[in-house]
Amino acid sequence: GAVVSQHPSWVICKSGTSVKIECRSLDFQATTMFWYRQFPKQSLMLMATSNEGSKATYEQGVEKDKFLINHASLTLSTLTVTSAHPEDSSFYICSARESSGRAPDTQYFGPGTRLTVL
Amino acid sequence: GENVEQHPSTLSVQEGDSAVIKCTYSDSASNYFPWYKQELGKGPQLIIDIRSNVGEKKDQRIAVTLNKTAKHFSLHITETQPEDSAVYFCAASTNSGYALNFGKGTSLLVTP
């Protein structure tokens, strides 16, 4: 149980294009999903918190117009990197928090998406 | 905001030995402390967690201890195996939003 998937697992795009990454909770409902970014040999940095049916909350320094987040259902959140540039190349990871009352603080992570912008 | 510090950054042990990774946190409101294992190119995998109403938790070869007064928690892995080699992250969160604050990670290498 508690499986989170991400699609695609890797993507290569040209500078200036937009890329959409999907995060799905497969066997539970997730009121909240989180998006992280991880550079090589570094820790995970929280980009934004996504709540189903409402606007995402972005961390300081994260451009909301560049990283568009949509959480349209209790099992799906999407991150769109708009007008991607080489400096956006990174490992993007989502996590989901189960909305049932048993363990509301537990987060389950997806396998990550490797984005390379040429 | 919350600041989580993790030590050591790298740890090398021989197979069969124990490994200990320590973390400290700054926000006294933090009440949830998970540990994640991340293998190269993969997402973090939850291996054990502890909440502030418990001092110790064990799951087979893995244990976590929590000292709320000192604001530190530790991961203990006994009888290490080469497949334990990975990067381990500690994290802390509060009931407000549940966002995780991660330590910088410990690269564990278990040599046969």
Side-chain angles (χ1 to χ4, degrees):
Chain A
V3 177
V4 177
S5 70
Q6 273 184 249
H7 178 80
S9 55
W10 60 270
V11 56
I12 301 173
C13 69
K14 292 182 178 180
S15 186
T17 60
S18 294
V19 175
K20 179 186 282 189
I21 302 170
E22 292 186 349
C23 177
R24 293 181 184 273
S25 57
L26 298 185
D27 51 1
F28 65 98
Q29 293 186 328
T31 307
T32 308
M33 290 183 173
F34 302 88
W35 287 95
Y36 295 84
R37 184 173 181 175
Q38 186 178 34
F39 291 109
K41 297 188 177 182
Q42 292 190 22
S43 188
L44 287 80
M45 292 191 60
L46 180 66
M47 298 176 64
T49 300
S50 166
N51 290 299
E52 185 265 339
S54 63
K55 290 183 178 180
T57 302
Y58 291 81
E59 295 300 300
Q60 192 171 11
V62 177
E63 301 175 56
K64 65 174 82 173
D65 293 332
K66 180 165 187 63
F67 299 99
L68 301 179
I69 291 173
N70 184 279
H71 193 160
S73 77
L74 285 173
T75 59
L76 173 64
S77 176
T78 60
L79 168 68
T80 301
V81 183
T82 62
S83 186
H85 292 285
E87 56 266 31
D88 298 324
S89 299
S90 188
F91 194 49
Y92 292 87
I93 314 172
C94 72
S95 70
R97 182 172 73 84
E98 191 169 6
S99 55
S100 66
R102 281 188 311 165
D105 44 16
T106 303
Q107 288 186 33
Y108 301 96
F109 282 80
T113 297
R114 173 74 58 194
L115 171 63
T116 302
V117 184
L118 301 176
Chain B
E2 173 69 280
N3 181 40
V4 178
E5 295 197 357
Q6 182 171 348
H7 298 280
S9 56
T10 61
L11 179 59
S12 182
V13 299
Q14 284 202 318
E15 183 177 1
D17 288 350
S18 295
V20 180
I21 303 171
K22 298 182 178 182
C23 288
T24 61
Y25 61 98
S26 60
D27 189 349
S28 56
S30 291
N31 56 5
Y32 177 63
F33 308 92
W35 286 88
Y36 290 89
K37 175 183 180 182
Q38 187 178 29
E39 297 176 339
L40 193 62
K42 298 184 179 180
Q45 176 191 4
L46 178 67
I47 57 172
I48 196 167
D49 57 13
I50 193 168
R51 292 176 175 82
S52 57
N53 58 344
V54 176
E56 184 174 357
K57 184 176 178 180
K58 191 173 181 180
D59 182 3
Q60 299 182 345
R61 296 187 297 110
I62 295 173
V64 57
T65 59
L66 171 66
N67 183 325
K68 285 177 58 180
T69 304
K71 295 200 191 92
H72 67 70
F73 55 112
S74 301
L75 177 71
H76 304 252
I77 306 175
T78 58
E79 301 172 29
T80 54
Q81 302 166 3
E83 49 266 40
D84 293 330
S85 297
V87 178
Y88 291 81
F89 290 98
C90 65
S93 71
T94 69
N95 285 341
S96 177
Y98 300 102
L100 289 171
N101 292 283
F102 282 88
K104 292 191 175 181
T106 296
S107 179
L108 173 64
L109 177 64
V110 181
T111 54

